[in-house]
């Protein structure tokens, strides 16, 4: 077997970071060489995630951790205010970034792509690592060619601030690329209660359900002649993103330049 890929996890004590630490510690093709977090300095990364002691203590300084541990890949799940600086630091030190943190601007992505190419290393920024979500969106767009009447229903926890979700908007955009604009339903339809028919997008509707206990789910319902087709994806927990994170870690080892969007790695 070839050498394991050396991974530094930044944001290691966060909700997503802990899942990444678990992934890396439990996968023999990966090796945890550093765990960075603003809090929990000195804690053992393994014990922190409920696994045996890993011998890797959480440290606070990203650049120092990269210099000391010389990883092949840096995975970052921190916050939008820090991720750009962390990504630029990783590239500067020849470490391939795999970034799950959201909120990059297109100018920042272009700049980081340039830096990756100058250093001849790969990189990935992926706002969504779920393979199931990417396939659900792709299947929905394909179905819209044949079934132009559809509605999207997305379900998230009750504390989510934005509606509809980013995934619902992205799904709607992909569908719109395959479907002529078509105003569905009865032209004389009237809402007796405002909002009952959901958000309007190119003639179809998007509904956002917000309930405690829900993590992230979405269905796209297509209505045809005497039939309906439902394409649905349910995420129950953050671990659902980890198979995608592993693919990301492996793919950035292969080719130089920054890829934006995990869908580019899914055939
Ligand atoms: P979180 O708040 O639970 O974790 C963030 C962690 O990063 C915390 O432990 C915090 O102490 C640490 N941190 C913050 N700034 C830091 C810094 N400068 N240096 C070192 N550590 C720092 O958040 P979360 O729920 O794990 O989400 C993190 C990010 O991942 C968010 O941007 C979220 O939108 C994104 N996210 C992406 C995906 C995906 O599939 N790409 C999935 C879920 C969440």
């Amino acid at each position: 077997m070839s050498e394991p890929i050396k991974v530094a996890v930044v944001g290691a004590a966060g909700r997503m970071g802990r899942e990444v630490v678990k992934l890396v510690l439990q996968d023999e093709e990966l090796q945890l060489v550093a765990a960075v977090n603003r809090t929990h300095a000195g804690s053992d990364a393994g014990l922190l995630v409920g696994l045996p002691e890993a011998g890797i203590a959480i440290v606070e300084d990203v650049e120092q951790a990269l210099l000391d541990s010389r990883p092949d890949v840096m995975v970052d799940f921190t916050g939008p205010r820090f991720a750009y600086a962390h990504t630029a630091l990783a590239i500067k030190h020849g470490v391939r970034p795999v970034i799950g943190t959201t909120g990059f601007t297109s100018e920042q992505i272009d700049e980081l792509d340039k830096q990756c190419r100058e250093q001849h290393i790969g990189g990935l920024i992926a706002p969504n690592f779920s393979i199931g979500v990417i396939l659900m969106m792709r299947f929905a767009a394909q179905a819209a060619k044949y079934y132009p009447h559809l509605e999207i229903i997305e379900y998230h926890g009750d504390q989510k601030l934005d509606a509809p979700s980013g995934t619902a908007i992205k799904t709607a955009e992909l569908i719109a690329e395959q479907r002529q604009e078509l105003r569905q339903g009865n032209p004389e339809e009237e809402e007796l209660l405002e909002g009952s028919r959901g958000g309007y997008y190119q003639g179809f509707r998007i509904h956002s359900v917000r309930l405690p206990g829900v993590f992230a789910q979405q269905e796209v319902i297509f209505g045809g002649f005497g039939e309906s087709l439902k394409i649905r994806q349910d995420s129950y927990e953050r671990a659902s993103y980890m198979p995608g994170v592993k693919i990301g870690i492996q793919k950035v080892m292969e080719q130089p330049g920054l890829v934006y969007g995990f869908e580019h790695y899914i055939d």
Side-chain angles (χ1 to χ4, degrees), residues 107-128:
E107 291 77 22
Q108 288 177 330
I109 292 164
D110 290 347
E111 175 55 31
L112 293 166
D113 178 37
K114 199 172 118 227
Q115 293 173 13
C116 274
R117 285 175 196 286
E118 280 165 8
Q119 290 276 41
H120 305 289
I121 58 170
L124 170 67
I125 297 177
N128 197 321

Side-chain angles (χ1 to χ4, degrees), residues 137-148 150 178 222 229 231:
M137 293 193 287
R138 204 174 277 174
F139 297 156
Q142 192 181 2
K145 278 189 208 168
Y146 305 99
Y147 295 91
L150 65 113
Q178 303 295 336
F222 298 88
L229 170 66
I231 297 173

Side-chain angles (χ1 to χ4, degrees), residues 10-18 36-40 59-62 76-83 86 99-103 125-130 215 238 241-242 245:
V10 182
R15 286 166 293 189
M16 287 296 286
R18 285 176 197 236
V36 186
N37 203 82
R38 269 202 308 199
T39 59
H40 296 75
V59 293
E60 284 175 10
D61 189 311
V62 177
D76 183 292
F77 281 96
T78 54
R81 281 199 296 136
F82 314 103
H86 294 170
I99 311 297
T101 308
T102 45
I125 297 177
N128 197 321
F129 273 105
S130 164
F215 185 57
R238 289 179 180 81
Y241 297 109
M242 292 308 120
V245 172

